[in-house]
Amino acid sequence: MKKIVRRNLILILIQIILVIPYNYLYDYYSLRLNTFSYIAVILYAFLCGSSFMLMNLTNKGINTVLAAYYLIFTLFNIHYSIFSYGPTVFLFFLIFGALLTSILKKKHND
């Protein structure tokens, strides 16, 4: 249980820490109206997707906490727009939806 929490926490912290250089990279290229600004969006999308695939989603309690975190983080970013650019907020909302699905999914005994 502690290994699952530690692993998922490390992946979330990596996402939060990499939001800062992502914002600087996006702002730098978007001010110059350069299409390279979307490279930052694509790289961060790959990071969010890969970190979600690496998370251990076997425990419903941990999934509930992670879903609540992503929902609060998404709502905070929508309201204040401090941490990330709009499309990445959409990525966090998708991760919240996937976690919610894993919480509500019933186990089948085959």
Side-chain angles (χ1 to χ4, degrees):
M1 173 83 166
K2 288 183 181 183
K3 288 175 78 174
I4 295 171
V5 171
R6 192 175 323 130
R7 181 178 179 175
N8 290 346
L9 185 64
I10 289 170
L11 291 169
I12 289 173
L13 288 175
I14 289 171
Q15 285 179 350
I16 292 172
I17 290 169
L18 290 178
V19 164
I20 296 167
Y22 160 77
N23 281 335
Y24 287 125
L25 185 67
Y26 178 79
D27 289 340
Y28 176 78
Y29 285 115
S30 66
L31 289 175
R32 286 157 182 72
L33 299 176
N34 198 336
T35 57
F36 285 121
S37 63
Y38 293 107
I39 291 175
V41 175
I42 293 168
L43 289 176
Y44 198 73
F46 282 138
L47 171 76
C48 287
S50 63
S51 65
F52 183 70
M53 289 184 344
L54 293 173
M55 284 183 183
N56 189 341
L57 303 175
T58 56
N59 190 331
K60 285 194 177 199
I62 293 173
N63 292 351
T64 305
V65 171
L66 288 176
Y69 160 75
Y70 278 110
L71 179 64
I72 291 169
F73 191 76
T74 302
L75 293 175
F76 185 77
N77 276 314
I78 289 172
H79 190 280
Y80 293 108
S81 174
I82 294 173
F83 289 114
S84 58
Y85 172 66
T88 55
V89 174
F90 180 68
L91 292 172
F92 289 131
F93 190 70
L94 288 176
I95 292 173
F96 165 73
L99 285 167
L100 193 62
T101 303
S102 72
I103 293 168
L104 298 176
K105 185 173 68 172
K106 294 181 181 178
K107 290 186 178 180
H108 295 289
N109 293 331
D110 293 327

